[in-house]
Amino acid sequence: MPAAVPPTRPRTGITRFTNCRLVKGDSLVEEDLWVSSQSGKIVSSQAAFFDDLALPDESIDLGGRIISPGLIDVQLNGAFGFNFSTLLEDTAQYGKKFLEVKKGLVATGVTSFLPTLTSQTSGLYQKVLPYLGPSRGIRRFEDGSESLGAHVEGPFLNPAKNGIHSKDVLLEAQTFEDIEACYGKANLGARESNNSPMTMVTVAPERGQMSKLIPELRKRGIICSIGHSAATYEEALVAIEAGATMITHLFNAMRPLHHRNPGIFGVLGAAENLQRPYFGVIADGIHLHPTTVNIAFNTFREGFILVTDAMHMMGLPDGAYQWTNGDATSNIVKVGPTLLLEGTDTIAGSSISLIECVNNFLKWSGTTIPAALKTVTATPAAMLGCQETKGSLNAGADADLVIFSEQLKGGTTELVIDEVWKFGNRAYCRGPVKPPHGTK
Amino acid sequence: MRLIIREKPDEASSYVADYIAHRIKEFKPTRERPFVLGLPTGGSPISVYQLLVEKYKAGEISFENVVTFNMDEYVGIPRDHPQSYHTFMWRHFFSHVNIPPTNVHILNGNAPDLAAECDAYEAAIVAAGGIDLFLAGIGSDGHIAFNEPGSSLASRTRVKTLAYDTVLDNARFFDDDIAQVPRLALTVGVQTILDAREVVAIVVGARKAVALRECLESSVNHMWTLSALQLHRHATIVADEDATLELRVRTVKYFRDIEKVARAQGFEQLLSTRLRTVSDVTRNPARTYPQPAAAVVVDEVQSPATSPTLVHPQPVNASLLRAASPAADDQSARSVSPDFVPDRMASRIPEPELARRLTPNPEQQLFIRTNAVGA
């Protein structure tokens, strides 16, 4: 392209991606994308041109590659050797470690996530939660991936479906005071204020009075997810009616689908005219059989969210790793992608990255690339109620992007992360960054 | 007027795109002396824009120093509405080329004072030095821009009510809901287009065949506003075969022949070299065109005392192509008619014409007609 640079044009902070395909809804749209590094948002190119008389500083020709909204992981327990459910001697170190994870995470295409805490003692929640809240006003691409608030998985869970969570720390809530006593009153935020560092809790609605307490959590802007629960179909329905909108790792740590008692899975059958909940699915090839993943997808596509449930061993070599489990310490053994609790055959989360889940899912379901990416972008954003700013390439949304190329592997197409952009700035590039050409 | 006929619509588009690119390159526009381009919206021009974008991407042309003026825009729909002409131009053209936003002019259909917006638009065209090349499309009723049948051929940029046919026709772009279709539009006038130094109209498809016949073979008529091009010194119509379906075989053959001969003689360019590569001196900003207010006689309210007859009737040619119009820049090429004030109708009819018409000489008749079509 002609590269005549007029000397006087002021810099606008706008980058234009051209010759690319955008993930929009269920299709790939050939369209340019303008992002601003100043506002950190996706720009309406037409408005910028006609209103602000603005032109991009740089134009990047992607050669037909795919731009997706940044990926969102709503269940991530830790990464790069740091487990979020860790109480450090020096609490200041916690913030530093958390920042390191965020910086590493952005290279995996995950531009925002819910740091997830397993069932722990009250003391750990109260100390750790303040570090995990949403970054709200702070929009620094240098900080890497962005926390959208904590996902607190426990401790109001059913001991019969504890998975690897320590039964000793599991609690039952009879009143809201019980919940406050566990997480700390400040960490729950005030009613209608939406200022809690907690964005989502996983609860077993059949335990104690939890179903009746769900509305109180909802009033604080906290999303309620059903999980680690032995709830019957009827009990799950009551929880949905009370305001639960999500199911934590569907099929795992719950009753299996039985034709006479469909259990939690049954609520996806659109029964009783209730809003069907969103649900997380771990597509690591270990937690669920590929066909089970497909059944869930075809039951309710709009609610299907891929999650990693990854532990801090993600990206580490095989071996035994210490793990704080409630008030005890145990070991998790990593063999390849499999994580098992030492001395048992209980699956201890995964060590898979979200894009690997997407590629698995693409292979198993044979669905389209935009449909697969939707399960880690638009759908989790809608579940979290932030579809205007996250998981979208529409003007006004945050300019969190992943640039993919496609590779044919064993007859199926795999997505490979080439670049990741956070708030309109390049945060990761697989190869060397090419010098801008054709600055216009 | 020239008529260029190509077999397929894409060949017609490619002729127009090549021509525009050629004109821009030859003009060697600079920041101080930009090439001023008038632009249409609609179905026929889309492929022309596509080709121009391809040429830009191939590095053939640059729009850095091109100033554009669009023909029209709806009134009262949001600027970023998918059917607005701002959106059309952005989607099909401006977003793909290197035109600076400050060089782009499109009428604002949401301006608080629409009349003032129109006046300012005319002034902006004048300030830019007049339009060098106006690209135009044509409606199936022969309209150019939103100058629908019955529009004054002396019209300027103004608010226009859309014909009911147009509203019905456009409903398909607005969820088939007539209530959503804008009823008003801002549009440049026929005279605004005639003031351009050169006009190129692209006409493709059988749907436009009747309109092309009326504009080309019939007389100048406000019911087919494109026919006003007959009065322009440098007008070209580029058509595909389908659009010529209603023309006489003779007309088609005649224009085909002219093109062939012209090409053989190396005489394809219609504009004089001086206009095509006009120097800085002749396009000096000092040469300003008078504001056309006086020309908009149609809207002037006559005082009751004045007789409805024109006191000082002007020859049609002089009124539509005023000496001050940029279109008349090429005066050296033609003789200027002296102003005269006829006192009765008969005196306005040139004597020789009258004499010839009365002569029943078939051979001479044939000769005249052939000439008339080619004029």
Side-chain angles (χ1 to χ4, degrees), chain A residues 1-9 16 18-19 31-32 34 44-55 438 440, chain B residues 31 56-59 61-62 64 79-81 84 86-90 94-102 104 106:
Chain A
M1 277 186 216
V5 186
T8 52
R9 186 167 294 153
R16 173 174 75 163
T18 188
N19 193 9
E31 213 172 77
D32 286 2
W34 290 30
S44 158
S45 53
Q46 194 178 336
F49 185 83
F50 288 120
D51 286 335
D52 310 330
L53 305 177
L55 281 181
K440 284 179 293 305
Chain B
R31 187 182 289 256
Y56 162 72
K57 287 193 169 160
I61 41 168
S62 165
E64 183 75 35
R79 187 199 58 199
D80 295 345
H81 188 280
S84 82
H86 277 82
T87 302
F88 177 98
M89 289 309 296
W90 180 245
F94 296 145
S95 65
H96 306 294
V97 298
N98 64 336
I99 190 160
T102 41
V104 169
I106 306 183

Short mmCIF file of all heavy atoms in Angstrom, two decimals, chain A residues 1-9 16 18-19 31-32 34 44-55 438 440, chain B residues 31 56-59 61-62 64 79-81 84 86-90 94-102 104 106:
data_model
loop_
_atom_site.label_atom_id
_atom_site.label_comp_id
_atom_site.label_asym_id
_atom_site.label_seq_id
_atom_site.Cartn_x
_atom_site.Cartn_y
_atom_site.Cartn_z
N MET A 1 0.84 -1.20 0.00
CA MET A 1 0.00 0.00 0.00
C MET A 1 0.87 1.25 0.00
O MET A 1 1.98 1.22 0.55
CB MET A 1 -0.85 0.03 1.27
CG MET A 1 -2.09 -0.80 1.13
SD MET A 1 -3.09 -0.57 2.59
CE MET A 1 -3.73 -2.21 2.73
N PRO A 2 0.38 2.31 -0.55
CA PRO A 2 1.18 3.54 -0.56
C PRO A 2 1.44 4.00 0.87
O PRO A 2 0.54 3.95 1.70
CB PRO A 2 0.31 4.54 -1.31
CG PRO A 2 -0.92 3.85 -1.70
CD PRO A 2 -0.91 2.46 -1.17
N ALA A 3 2.64 4.39 1.11
CA ALA A 3 3.00 4.73 2.49
C ALA A 3 3.38 6.19 2.62
O ALA A 3 4.36 6.54 3.22
CB ALA A 3 4.13 3.83 2.96
N ALA A 4 2.58 7.04 2.00
CA ALA A 4 2.86 8.47 2.10
C ALA A 4 2.43 8.95 3.47
O ALA A 4 1.26 8.88 3.82
CB ALA A 4 2.12 9.23 1.02
N VAL A 5 3.37 9.38 4.27
CA VAL A 5 3.03 9.83 5.62
C VAL A 5 2.99 11.36 5.64
O VAL A 5 4.01 12.01 5.51
CB VAL A 5 4.08 9.33 6.64
CG1 VAL A 5 3.63 9.67 8.05
CG2 VAL A 5 4.28 7.84 6.48
N PRO A 6 1.81 11.91 5.78
CA PRO A 6 1.78 13.37 5.87
C PRO A 6 2.39 13.81 7.19
O PRO A 6 2.13 13.21 8.23
CB PRO A 6 0.28 13.70 5.82
CG PRO A 6 -0.42 12.44 6.15
CD PRO A 6 0.51 11.29 5.93
N PRO A 7 3.23 14.81 7.16
CA PRO A 7 4.01 15.15 8.33
C PRO A 7 3.19 15.74 9.48
O PRO A 7 3.58 15.63 10.63
CB PRO A 7 5.01 16.17 7.80
CG PRO A 7 4.37 16.72 6.57
CD PRO A 7 3.50 15.65 6.01
N THR A 8 2.05 16.32 9.15
CA THR A 8 1.39 17.13 10.17
C THR A 8 0.26 16.40 10.90
O THR A 8 -0.29 16.94 11.84
CB THR A 8 0.78 18.39 9.52
OG1 THR A 8 -0.02 17.96 8.42
CG2 THR A 8 1.84 19.34 9.06
N ARG A 9 -0.06 15.19 10.47
CA ARG A 9 -1.25 14.55 11.07
C ARG A 9 -1.02 14.20 12.53
O ARG A 9 -0.04 13.54 12.88
CB ARG A 9 -1.60 13.30 10.27
CG ARG A 9 -2.88 12.66 10.74
CD ARG A 9 -3.34 11.64 9.74
NE ARG A 9 -3.71 12.25 8.49
CZ ARG A 9 -3.67 11.63 7.32
NH1 ARG A 9 -3.24 10.40 7.26
NH2 ARG A 9 -4.05 12.24 6.24
N ARG A 16 -5.74 0.23 13.01
CA ARG A 16 -6.74 -0.39 12.16
C ARG A 16 -6.25 -1.79 11.75
O ARG A 16 -5.13 -1.94 11.29
CB ARG A 16 -6.98 0.43 10.90
CG ARG A 16 -7.90 -0.31 9.91
CD ARG A 16 -8.26 0.55 8.74
NE ARG A 16 -7.15 0.66 7.81
CZ ARG A 16 -7.30 1.08 6.56
NH1 ARG A 16 -8.48 1.45 6.12
NH2 ARG A 16 -6.26 1.18 5.76
N THR A 18 -6.91 -4.67 9.10
CA THR A 18 -7.58 -4.80 7.83
C THR A 18 -7.25 -6.16 7.22
O THR A 18 -6.33 -6.84 7.68
CB THR A 18 -7.19 -3.63 6.89
OG1 THR A 18 -7.99 -3.70 5.72
CG2 THR A 18 -5.72 -3.68 6.51
N ASN A 19 -8.05 -6.54 6.21
CA ASN A 19 -7.88 -7.85 5.58
C ASN A 19 -7.96 -8.95 6.64
O ASN A 19 -7.08 -9.78 6.77
CB ASN A 19 -6.54 -7.89 4.83
CG ASN A 19 -6.45 -9.10 3.91
OD1 ASN A 19 -7.44 -9.81 3.71
ND2 ASN A 19 -5.27 -9.36 3.39
N GLU A 31 -14.28 -7.53 7.63
CA GLU A 31 -14.52 -6.14 7.97
C GLU A 31 -13.26 -5.60 8.65
O GLU A 31 -12.53 -6.37 9.27
CB GLU A 31 -15.68 -6.09 8.98
CG GLU A 31 -16.58 -4.89 8.89
CD GLU A 31 -17.78 -5.06 9.80
OE1 GLU A 31 -17.62 -4.90 11.01
OE2 GLU A 31 -18.87 -5.39 9.30
N ASP A 32 -13.04 -4.31 8.54
CA ASP A 32 -11.93 -3.71 9.28
C ASP A 32 -12.33 -3.55 10.73
O ASP A 32 -13.50 -3.45 11.06
CB ASP A 32 -11.58 -2.33 8.70
CG ASP A 32 -10.86 -2.44 7.35
OD1 ASP A 32 -10.68 -3.58 6.89
OD2 ASP A 32 -10.50 -1.39 6.79
N TRP A 34 -11.25 -1.11 14.12
CA TRP A 34 -10.46 0.01 14.64
C TRP A 34 -10.46 -0.07 16.17
O TRP A 34 -11.52 -0.20 16.77
CB TRP A 34 -11.06 1.36 14.21
CG TRP A 34 -10.94 1.69 12.76
CD1 TRP A 34 -10.91 0.81 11.72
CD2 TRP A 34 -10.87 2.99 12.18
NE1 TRP A 34 -10.81 1.49 10.53
CE2 TRP A 34 -10.79 2.83 10.79
CE3 TRP A 34 -10.86 4.28 12.71
CZ2 TRP A 34 -10.71 3.92 9.90
CZ3 TRP A 34 -10.78 5.36 11.85
CH2 TRP A 34 -10.69 5.17 10.45
N SER A 44 -15.92 2.93 16.76
CA SER A 44 -16.76 2.94 15.57
C SER A 44 -16.02 3.75 14.52
O SER A 44 -15.86 4.96 14.64
CB SER A 44 -18.11 3.60 15.88
OG SER A 44 -18.68 4.05 14.66
N SER A 45 -15.50 3.04 13.50
CA SER A 45 -14.63 3.70 12.55
C SER A 45 -15.36 4.83 11.85
O SER A 45 -14.82 5.90 11.61
CB SER A 45 -14.10 2.69 11.54
OG SER A 45 -15.18 1.99 10.94
N GLN A 46 -16.64 4.59 11.53
CA GLN A 46 -17.41 5.60 10.80
C GLN A 46 -17.56 6.87 11.63
O GLN A 46 -17.38 7.98 11.13
CB GLN A 46 -18.78 5.02 10.46
CG GLN A 46 -19.51 5.84 9.43
CD GLN A 46 -20.87 5.23 9.08
OE1 GLN A 46 -21.09 4.05 9.23
NE2 GLN A 46 -21.76 6.05 8.61
N ALA A 47 -17.86 6.71 12.92
CA ALA A 47 -18.02 7.88 13.78
C ALA A 47 -16.69 8.59 13.96
O ALA A 47 -16.62 9.82 13.96
CB ALA A 47 -18.59 7.45 15.13
N ALA A 48 -15.59 7.81 14.10
CA ALA A 48 -14.29 8.43 14.28
C ALA A 48 -13.93 9.27 13.05
O ALA A 48 -13.40 10.37 13.16
CB ALA A 48 -13.22 7.35 14.51
N PHE A 49 -14.26 8.74 11.88
CA PHE A 49 -13.92 9.41 10.63
C PHE A 49 -14.73 10.68 10.46
O PHE A 49 -14.20 11.76 10.22
CB PHE A 49 -14.16 8.45 9.47
CG PHE A 49 -13.73 8.96 8.13
CD1 PHE A 49 -12.41 8.86 7.72
CD2 PHE A 49 -14.65 9.53 7.25
CE1 PHE A 49 -12.02 9.30 6.47
CE2 PHE A 49 -14.26 9.98 6.01
CZ PHE A 49 -12.94 9.87 5.62
N PHE A 50 -16.05 10.56 10.61
CA PHE A 50 -16.92 11.71 10.32
C PHE A 50 -16.99 12.71 11.48
O PHE A 50 -17.14 13.91 11.25
CB PHE A 50 -18.32 11.25 9.95
CG PHE A 50 -18.41 10.60 8.59
CD1 PHE A 50 -18.84 9.29 8.44
CD2 PHE A 50 -18.06 11.31 7.45
CE1 PHE A 50 -18.92 8.70 7.19
CE2 PHE A 50 -18.14 10.73 6.19
CZ PHE A 50 -18.57 9.42 6.06
N ASP A 51 -16.92 12.22 12.74
CA ASP A 51 -17.05 13.13 13.87
C ASP A 51 -15.70 13.72 14.28
O ASP A 51 -15.56 14.92 14.44
CB ASP A 51 -17.63 12.40 15.09
CG ASP A 51 -19.11 12.13 14.93
OD1 ASP A 51 -19.75 12.87 14.17
OD2 ASP A 51 -19.62 11.18 15.55
N ASP A 52 -14.73 12.82 14.49
CA ASP A 52 -13.46 13.28 15.04
C ASP A 52 -12.44 13.55 13.93
O ASP A 52 -11.32 13.95 14.21
CB ASP A 52 -12.90 12.22 16.00
CG ASP A 52 -13.94 11.78 17.01
OD1 ASP A 52 -14.81 12.62 17.33
OD2 ASP A 52 -13.91 10.63 17.46
N LEU A 53 -12.83 13.28 12.69
CA LEU A 53 -11.91 13.43 11.55
C LEU A 53 -10.61 12.70 11.84
O LEU A 53 -9.52 13.19 11.56
CB LEU A 53 -11.66 14.91 11.26
CG LEU A 53 -12.91 15.77 11.02
CD1 LEU A 53 -12.53 17.22 10.82
CD2 LEU A 53 -13.70 15.27 9.81
N ALA A 54 -10.75 11.52 12.45
CA ALA A 54 -9.57 10.78 12.89
C ALA A 54 -9.24 9.66 11.91
O ALA A 54 -10.12 9.02 11.36
CB ALA A 54 -9.82 10.18 14.27
N LEU A 55 -7.94 9.47 11.71
CA LEU A 55 -7.47 8.36 10.91
C LEU A 55 -6.55 7.50 11.78
O LEU A 55 -5.96 8.01 12.73
CB LEU A 55 -6.69 8.87 9.69
CG LEU A 55 -7.51 9.37 8.51
CD1 LEU A 55 -6.59 9.81 7.40
CD2 LEU A 55 -8.45 8.28 8.01
N GLY A 438 2.88 0.91 5.79
CA GLY A 438 1.70 1.63 5.31
C GLY A 438 0.98 2.37 6.42
O GLY A 438 -0.19 2.18 6.64
N LYS A 440 -1.09 4.96 7.87
CA LYS A 440 -1.99 5.90 7.24
C LYS A 440 -2.84 6.55 8.31
O LYS A 440 -3.30 5.89 9.20
CB LYS A 440 -2.88 5.23 6.21
CG LYS A 440 -2.11 4.94 4.95
CD LYS A 440 -2.98 4.25 3.93
CE LYS A 440 -3.40 2.88 4.31
NZ LYS A 440 -2.40 1.94 4.63
N ARG B 31 -1.84 19.03 -2.33
CA ARG B 31 -2.66 19.52 -1.22
C ARG B 31 -3.30 20.87 -1.56
O ARG B 31 -4.44 21.13 -1.24
CB ARG B 31 -1.77 19.67 0.01
CG ARG B 31 -2.51 20.00 1.28
CD ARG B 31 -1.51 20.16 2.40
NE ARG B 31 -0.94 18.87 2.74
CZ ARG B 31 -1.29 18.19 3.83
NH1 ARG B 31 -2.17 18.69 4.65
NH2 ARG B 31 -0.75 17.02 4.10
N TYR B 56 -6.37 1.47 -5.52
CA TYR B 56 -5.65 2.10 -4.42
C TYR B 56 -4.75 1.07 -3.74
O TYR B 56 -3.58 1.31 -3.46
CB TYR B 56 -6.63 2.70 -3.41
CG TYR B 56 -5.97 2.95 -2.08
CD1 TYR B 56 -5.06 3.99 -1.93
CD2 TYR B 56 -6.21 2.12 -0.99
CE1 TYR B 56 -4.41 4.20 -0.73
CE2 TYR B 56 -5.57 2.32 0.21
CZ TYR B 56 -4.67 3.35 0.34
OH TYR B 56 -4.02 3.55 1.52
N LYS B 57 -5.33 -0.12 -3.47
CA LYS B 57 -4.55 -1.14 -2.74
C LYS B 57 -3.37 -1.63 -3.57
O LYS B 57 -2.36 -2.04 -3.00
CB LYS B 57 -5.46 -2.30 -2.35
CG LYS B 57 -6.40 -1.89 -1.22
CD LYS B 57 -7.10 -3.05 -0.56
CE LYS B 57 -7.79 -2.55 0.71
NZ LYS B 57 -8.86 -3.43 1.16
N ALA B 58 -3.52 -1.58 -4.88
CA ALA B 58 -2.41 -1.99 -5.74
C ALA B 58 -1.38 -0.87 -5.88
O ALA B 58 -0.37 -1.03 -6.56
CB ALA B 58 -2.94 -2.40 -7.10
N GLY B 59 -1.66 0.26 -5.24
CA GLY B 59 -0.71 1.36 -5.29
C GLY B 59 -0.80 2.19 -6.57
O GLY B 59 0.09 2.98 -6.85
N ILE B 61 -3.31 4.41 -7.46
CA ILE B 61 -3.74 5.79 -7.25
C ILE B 61 -3.78 6.08 -5.75
O ILE B 61 -3.87 5.17 -4.93
CB ILE B 61 -5.14 6.09 -7.84
CG1 ILE B 61 -6.09 4.92 -7.57
CG2 ILE B 61 -5.07 6.46 -9.28
CD1 ILE B 61 -7.52 5.26 -7.86
N SER B 62 -3.74 7.37 -5.45
CA SER B 62 -3.85 7.81 -4.06
C SER B 62 -4.98 8.82 -3.97
O SER B 62 -5.21 9.59 -4.89
CB SER B 62 -2.54 8.44 -3.62
OG SER B 62 -2.75 9.16 -2.42
N GLU B 64 -5.10 10.86 -1.33
CA GLU B 64 -4.60 11.81 -0.34
C GLU B 64 -5.02 13.24 -0.69
O GLU B 64 -5.40 14.01 0.18
CB GLU B 64 -3.07 11.69 -0.30
CG GLU B 64 -2.39 12.55 0.73
CD GLU B 64 -2.54 12.00 2.15
OE1 GLU B 64 -2.55 10.77 2.28
OE2 GLU B 64 -2.68 12.79 3.08
N ARG B 79 -27.07 9.37 11.24
CA ARG B 79 -25.98 9.34 10.27
C ARG B 79 -25.40 7.94 10.11
O ARG B 79 -25.02 7.53 9.02
CB ARG B 79 -24.88 10.30 10.71
CG ARG B 79 -23.80 10.46 9.65
CD ARG B 79 -22.54 11.01 10.27
NE ARG B 79 -22.09 10.12 11.32
CZ ARG B 79 -21.25 10.46 12.27
NH1 ARG B 79 -20.79 11.68 12.32
NH2 ARG B 79 -20.87 9.59 13.19
N ASP B 80 -25.34 7.18 11.23
CA ASP B 80 -24.73 5.86 11.15
C ASP B 80 -25.76 4.75 10.89
O ASP B 80 -25.46 3.58 11.05
CB ASP B 80 -23.93 5.57 12.43
CG ASP B 80 -22.75 6.52 12.57
OD1 ASP B 80 -22.40 7.16 11.55
OD2 ASP B 80 -22.17 6.63 13.66
N HIS B 81 -26.97 5.14 10.52
CA HIS B 81 -28.00 4.16 10.15
C HIS B 81 -27.46 3.32 8.98
O HIS B 81 -26.79 3.85 8.09
CB HIS B 81 -29.25 4.92 9.72
CG HIS B 81 -30.45 4.05 9.48
ND1 HIS B 81 -30.61 3.33 8.32
CD2 HIS B 81 -31.53 3.77 10.25
CE1 HIS B 81 -31.74 2.64 8.39
NE2 HIS B 81 -32.32 2.89 9.54
N SER B 84 -28.03 4.91 5.65
CA SER B 84 -27.66 6.29 5.35
C SER B 84 -26.56 6.28 4.29
O SER B 84 -25.84 5.31 4.13
CB SER B 84 -27.17 6.99 6.61
OG SER B 84 -25.81 6.68 6.84
N HIS B 86 -24.01 8.19 4.35
CA HIS B 86 -22.72 8.22 5.05
C HIS B 86 -22.21 6.79 5.21
O HIS B 86 -21.05 6.50 4.92
CB HIS B 86 -22.88 8.86 6.44
CG HIS B 86 -22.85 10.36 6.43
ND1 HIS B 86 -23.96 11.11 6.12
CD2 HIS B 86 -21.85 11.24 6.71
CE1 HIS B 86 -23.64 12.39 6.21
NE2 HIS B 86 -22.37 12.50 6.56
N THR B 87 -23.11 5.93 5.70
CA THR B 87 -22.71 4.53 5.91
C THR B 87 -22.33 3.87 4.59
O THR B 87 -21.34 3.16 4.50
CB THR B 87 -23.87 3.76 6.57
OG1 THR B 87 -24.20 4.41 7.79
CG2 THR B 87 -23.48 2.31 6.85
N PHE B 88 -23.11 4.14 3.55
CA PHE B 88 -22.82 3.56 2.24
C PHE B 88 -21.41 3.95 1.79
O PHE B 88 -20.61 3.10 1.39
CB PHE B 88 -23.84 4.08 1.22
CG PHE B 88 -23.58 3.59 -0.19
CD1 PHE B 88 -24.28 2.50 -0.70
CD2 PHE B 88 -22.65 4.22 -1.00
CE1 PHE B 88 -24.03 2.05 -1.99
CE2 PHE B 88 -22.40 3.77 -2.29
CZ PHE B 88 -23.10 2.69 -2.79
N MET B 89 -21.12 5.23 1.88
CA MET B 89 -19.82 5.71 1.40
C MET B 89 -18.69 5.16 2.26
O MET B 89 -17.63 4.82 1.76
CB MET B 89 -19.78 7.23 1.40
CG MET B 89 -20.62 7.88 0.33
SD MET B 89 -20.34 7.21 -1.32
CE MET B 89 -18.63 7.67 -1.60
N TRP B 90 -18.96 5.09 3.57
CA TRP B 90 -17.93 4.57 4.47
C TRP B 90 -17.67 3.11 4.16
O TRP B 90 -16.55 2.67 4.03
CB TRP B 90 -18.38 4.75 5.92
CG TRP B 90 -17.37 4.23 6.90
CD1 TRP B 90 -17.53 3.19 7.75
CD2 TRP B 90 -16.04 4.71 7.10
NE1 TRP B 90 -16.38 2.99 8.46
CE2 TRP B 90 -15.45 3.90 8.09
CE3 TRP B 90 -15.28 5.74 6.53
CZ2 TRP B 90 -14.14 4.08 8.53
CZ3 TRP B 90 -13.98 5.92 6.97
CH2 TRP B 90 -13.42 5.11 7.95
N PHE B 94 -14.78 5.01 1.52
CA PHE B 94 -13.86 5.79 2.34
C PHE B 94 -13.05 4.94 3.31
O PHE B 94 -11.88 5.23 3.58
CB PHE B 94 -14.61 6.88 3.11
CG PHE B 94 -15.26 7.91 2.23
CD1 PHE B 94 -16.47 8.48 2.56
CD2 PHE B 94 -14.64 8.31 1.05
CE1 PHE B 94 -17.07 9.43 1.75
CE2 PHE B 94 -15.23 9.26 0.23
CZ PHE B 94 -16.45 9.81 0.58
N SER B 95 -13.66 3.86 3.87
CA SER B 95 -12.93 3.08 4.86
C SER B 95 -11.78 2.30 4.23
O SER B 95 -10.92 1.79 4.94
CB SER B 95 -13.88 2.12 5.59
OG SER B 95 -14.38 1.16 4.69
N HIS B 96 -11.76 2.19 2.91
CA HIS B 96 -10.75 1.36 2.27
C HIS B 96 -9.61 2.15 1.63
O HIS B 96 -8.65 1.57 1.15
CB HIS B 96 -11.39 0.49 1.19
CG HIS B 96 -12.55 -0.31 1.70
ND1 HIS B 96 -12.40 -1.32 2.62
CD2 HIS B 96 -13.87 -0.24 1.42
CE1 HIS B 96 -13.59 -1.84 2.89
NE2 HIS B 96 -14.49 -1.20 2.18
N VAL B 97 -9.76 3.46 1.56
CA VAL B 97 -8.74 4.25 0.87
C VAL B 97 -8.15 5.29 1.81
O VAL B 97 -8.57 5.43 2.95
CB VAL B 97 -9.33 4.95 -0.40
CG1 VAL B 97 -9.81 3.90 -1.39
CG2 VAL B 97 -10.45 5.89 -0.01
N ASN B 98 -7.17 6.03 1.31
CA ASN B 98 -6.43 6.94 2.19
C ASN B 98 -6.93 8.38 2.11
O ASN B 98 -6.16 9.30 2.24
CB ASN B 98 -4.94 6.89 1.83
CG ASN B 98 -4.68 7.41 0.43
OD1 ASN B 98 -5.58 7.39 -0.40
ND2 ASN B 98 -3.46 7.86 0.17
N ILE B 99 -8.21 8.54 1.90
CA ILE B 99 -8.72 9.91 1.81
C ILE B 99 -8.78 10.53 3.20
O ILE B 99 -9.27 9.91 4.14
CB ILE B 99 -10.09 9.94 1.10
CG1 ILE B 99 -10.49 11.37 0.79
CG2 ILE B 99 -11.17 9.25 1.93
CD1 ILE B 99 -11.55 11.49 -0.27
N PRO B 100 -8.24 11.74 3.39
CA PRO B 100 -8.32 12.37 4.71
C PRO B 100 -9.77 12.78 5.01
O PRO B 100 -10.47 13.25 4.11
CB PRO B 100 -7.44 13.62 4.58
CG PRO B 100 -6.68 13.45 3.30
CD PRO B 100 -7.50 12.57 2.42
N PRO B 101 -10.20 12.59 6.25
CA PRO B 101 -11.61 12.89 6.58
C PRO B 101 -11.98 14.35 6.28
O PRO B 101 -13.15 14.64 5.98
CB PRO B 101 -11.70 12.59 8.07
CG PRO B 101 -10.33 12.29 8.55
CD PRO B 101 -9.48 12.00 7.38
N THR B 102 -11.00 15.23 6.36
CA THR B 102 -11.30 16.64 6.11
C THR B 102 -11.63 16.90 4.64
O THR B 102 -12.18 17.93 4.29
CB THR B 102 -10.10 17.51 6.52
OG1 THR B 102 -8.91 16.85 6.11
CG2 THR B 102 -10.07 17.74 8.01
N VAL B 104 -13.62 15.02 2.85
CA VAL B 104 -14.88 14.38 2.50
C VAL B 104 -16.05 15.30 2.84
O VAL B 104 -16.12 15.85 3.93
CB VAL B 104 -15.02 13.04 3.27
CG1 VAL B 104 -16.43 12.50 3.14
CG2 VAL B 104 -14.01 12.04 2.75
N ILE B 106 -20.24 15.32 2.80
CA ILE B 106 -21.54 14.69 2.57
C ILE B 106 -22.57 15.57 3.26
O ILE B 106 -22.34 16.03 4.38
CB ILE B 106 -21.62 13.25 3.14
CG1 ILE B 106 -20.47 12.39 2.60
CG2 ILE B 106 -22.96 12.61 2.79
CD1 ILE B 106 -20.50 10.93 3.06
#
